[in-house]
């Protein structure tokens, strides 16, 4: 059975590390956006990206599996939001599909990690 004390400090969680890496990539990408998007897509994408590791850290620090699970679900929602923005910037021509392939791979890997962590919590707390 998994206990909250079994969860590593958030900095050691692979999903948190992957989230941090994704944030850095999103910041690099959004630096190239048109200036008129500063308060639009740039801001929204950065906010969604930062929310992912921030929620993982918050949940892992709360002290209960229930709160950890809720924070992981929020992080997963922020990831879906970010994926929506990635589709949009491709359609708007702010980035080429080829250039986004690395980001897509990061998103897919992070989603798999979040889902696996959520499944292990559910399995061990049921």
């Amino acid at each position: 059975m998994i206990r909250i004390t079994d969860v590593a400090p958030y900095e050691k969680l692979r999903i948190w590390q992957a989230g941090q890496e994704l944030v850095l990539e999103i910041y690099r990408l959004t630096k190239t956006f048109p200036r008129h998007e500063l308060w639009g897509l740039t801001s929204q994408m950065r906010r969604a990206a930062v929310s992912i590791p921030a929620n993982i850290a918050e949940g892992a620090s709360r002290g209960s599996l229930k709160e950890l699970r809720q924070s992981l679900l929020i992080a997963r929602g922020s990831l879906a939001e970010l994926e929506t923005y990635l589709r949009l910037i491709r359609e708007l021509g702010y980035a080429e599909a080829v250039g986004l392939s690395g980001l897509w791979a990061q998103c897919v890997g992070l989603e798999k990690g979040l889902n696996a962590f959520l499944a292990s919590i559910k399995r061990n707390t049921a």
Side-chain angles (χ1 to χ4, degrees), residues 80-122:
E81 180 182 353
L82 181 60
E83 290 170 341
T84 299
Y85 297 138
L86 290 173
R87 286 182 176 85
L88 183 58
I89 64 166
R90 184 187 65 219
E91 294 297 318
L92 291 169
Y94 294 169
E96 296 294 320
V98 173
L100 293 175
S101 63
L103 281 172
W104 282 115
Q106 283 182 277
C107 289
V108 168
L110 185 51
E111 185 175 12
K112 287 180 181 178
L114 284 165
N115 288 338
F117 200 6
L118 283 161
S120 71
I121 291 170
K122 185 176 181 179

Side-chain angles (χ1 to χ4, degrees), residues 21-56:
E21 290 172 21
L22 182 59
V23 170
L24 296 175
E25 290 302 318
I26 292 299
Y27 268 76
R28 286 182 191 105
L29 172 67
T30 55
K31 278 184 185 180
T32 68
F33 286 5
R35 183 136 178 89
H36 69 269
E37 285 294 357
L38 185 61
W39 301 110
L41 281 171
T42 299
S43 176
Q44 289 293 99
M45 288 182 73
R46 288 177 175 183
R47 183 193 56 74
V50 167
S51 177
I52 298 165
N55 276 290
I56 294 166

